[in-house]
Amino acid sequence: MTCVIVEDEKLLALVLEKMLKEEGLDILGIASHAREAIELIDTKMPDLVFLDINLGEYDGFYVLENIKHRPYVIFTTAYSEYAVRAFEENAIDYLLKPIREERLKTAIEKVRKIIESNKEDVLQESKMREFIKRMKKEKFSVEVDGEVLFLDISKILYIYASEGEVVVVSNEEKLTTKTSLKVCEEKLPAEKFLRVHKSYIINVEHIKKIIRNYFGSVALELSNGDIVPVGRNYKESLKELLE
């Protein structure tokens, strides 16, 4: 864990530095006044700042108001009257000088636990994002009779609109939903599904054959034997697919 010390008394800063090194912290720098502290914190971006409140012209609260980087903060001061405001600034702890070793250990342990907890939260969030991403690739969600069903995308043959409703045809069943064909098209992967008619979307992996008649009309026979018409305005899209 990295940290910065902000302390205007040099001897106290050196004593605190020694104590923190014994606790295994990596000291990135020491600042003796507010402006120096702001620059040091924003440049080094430590995990934690040990921040004295009385720094001469500007105080520790001024530092917090002006930094861009947001580290965890432990206040160090000889005055107890600032404690309420310190915690209002979301300080992790408030150490009164002279700082006792056991009290310092307790404060550092608080920060370590918070950091570990945040890492776990980030990991879980990352896993959830990856799961959702995978679900979107493999599953198609559709609302049927007030319930949301997740269908295997690979098993969907085609989807069509009829009399204000949309029917999803899979290898296993036909499901009717009020979800519009346009919304279905937006949710399905474009590399696998193609709009071939104003009322039909097909899974290109289930095309069995192309049927043409003497009048120039085109239709598709799918893997389950169903015939799907190809609209005149969609023939070019089909042609591009077959090239």
Side-chain angles (χ1 to χ4, degrees):
M1 182 165 57
T2 61
C3 73
V4 160
I5 298 170
V6 181
E7 172 60 65
D8 64 345
E9 295 185 43
K10 188 173 182 180
L11 180 59
L12 291 178
L14 293 175
V15 170
L16 181 56
E17 180 184 28
K18 180 176 181 298
M19 294 172 74
L20 293 176
K21 284 182 177 178
E22 289 174 354
E23 293 300 320
L25 273 67
D26 183 9
I27 316 299
L28 301 181
I30 299 174
S32 60
H33 58 81
R35 293 191 183 280
E36 182 184 12
I38 292 166
E39 183 178 356
L40 181 61
I41 292 167
D42 283 342
T43 301
K44 297 294 186 178
M45 295 190 291
D47 299 317
L48 172 62
V49 172
F50 288 87
L51 182 60
D52 189 11
I53 292 179
N54 295 295
L55 298 170
E57 184 180 3
Y58 299 102
D59 61 15
F61 299 112
Y62 175 85
V63 173
L64 292 183
E65 288 169 1
N66 288 276
I67 54 177
K68 295 177 182 176
H69 174 63
R70 293 294 167 187
Y72 298 107
V73 176
I74 294 175
F75 278 104
T76 58
T77 181
Y79 306 96
S80 60
E81 62 263 31
Y82 297 108
V84 173
R85 186 176 175 189
F87 287 110
E88 286 176 349
E89 296 289 341
N90 297 317
I92 300 299
D93 213 330
Y94 186 95
L95 303 180
L96 289 173
K97 300 175 185 177
I99 298 171
R100 293 181 291 110
E101 185 178 345
E102 286 304 314
R103 187 69 183 82
L104 180 64
K105 285 183 177 181
T106 300
I108 292 171
E109 190 59 30
K110 282 184 186 179
V111 179
R112 284 188 171 130
K113 286 180 178 179
I114 291 171
I115 289 174
E116 286 303 312
S117 176
N118 288 343
K119 284 181 180 178
E120 182 64 26
D121 288 344
V122 170
L123 178 61
Q124 292 302 323
E125 184 178 350
S126 176
K127 287 181 178 179
M128 181 58 72
R129 287 180 184 274
E130 189 60 35
F131 173 75
I132 292 171
K133 188 177 178 181
R134 190 170 66 251
M135 280 283 287
K136 284 183 175 180
K137 283 185 177 180
E138 299 173 359
K139 300 285 187 178
F140 172 68
S141 61
V142 60
E143 186 174 344
V144 178
D145 295 331
E147 296 180 336
V148 177
L149 305 181
F150 292 89
L151 309 177
D152 287 339
I153 283 178
S154 61
K155 293 182 179 180
I156 296 173
L157 280 67
Y158 65 100
I159 303 174
Y160 68 93
S162 175
E163 298 181 355
E165 294 184 323
V166 169
V167 180
V168 181
V169 182
S170 72
N171 281 330
E172 301 167 344
E173 58 190 334
K174 287 185 179 183
L175 299 170
T176 301
T177 175
K178 293 188 181 298
T179 304
S180 71
L181 201 63
K182 184 177 184 297
V183 171
C184 290
E185 185 177 16
E186 290 171 352
K187 290 167 66 175
L188 291 165
E191 67 272 16
K192 288 187 176 182
F193 287 83
L194 182 67
R195 187 78 166 258
V196 294
H197 188 281
K198 66 179 183 179
S199 300
Y200 286 84
I201 300 169
I202 58 108
N203 184 338
V204 297
E205 294 181 349
H206 285 280
I207 297 175
K208 184 177 179 181
K209 69 171 72 169
I210 297 174
I211 304 169
R212 293 186 176 90
N213 64 22
Y214 295 111
F215 303 103
S217 296
V218 177
L220 300 172
E221 183 180 338
L222 302 183
S223 57
N224 68 339
D226 285 1
I227 306 298
V228 172
V230 176
R232 287 183 299 175
N233 296 332
Y234 297 88
K235 287 181 181 179
E236 284 300 316
S237 297
L238 183 63
K239 184 178 179 182
E240 289 176 15
L241 173 68
L242 299 173
E243 285 179 348

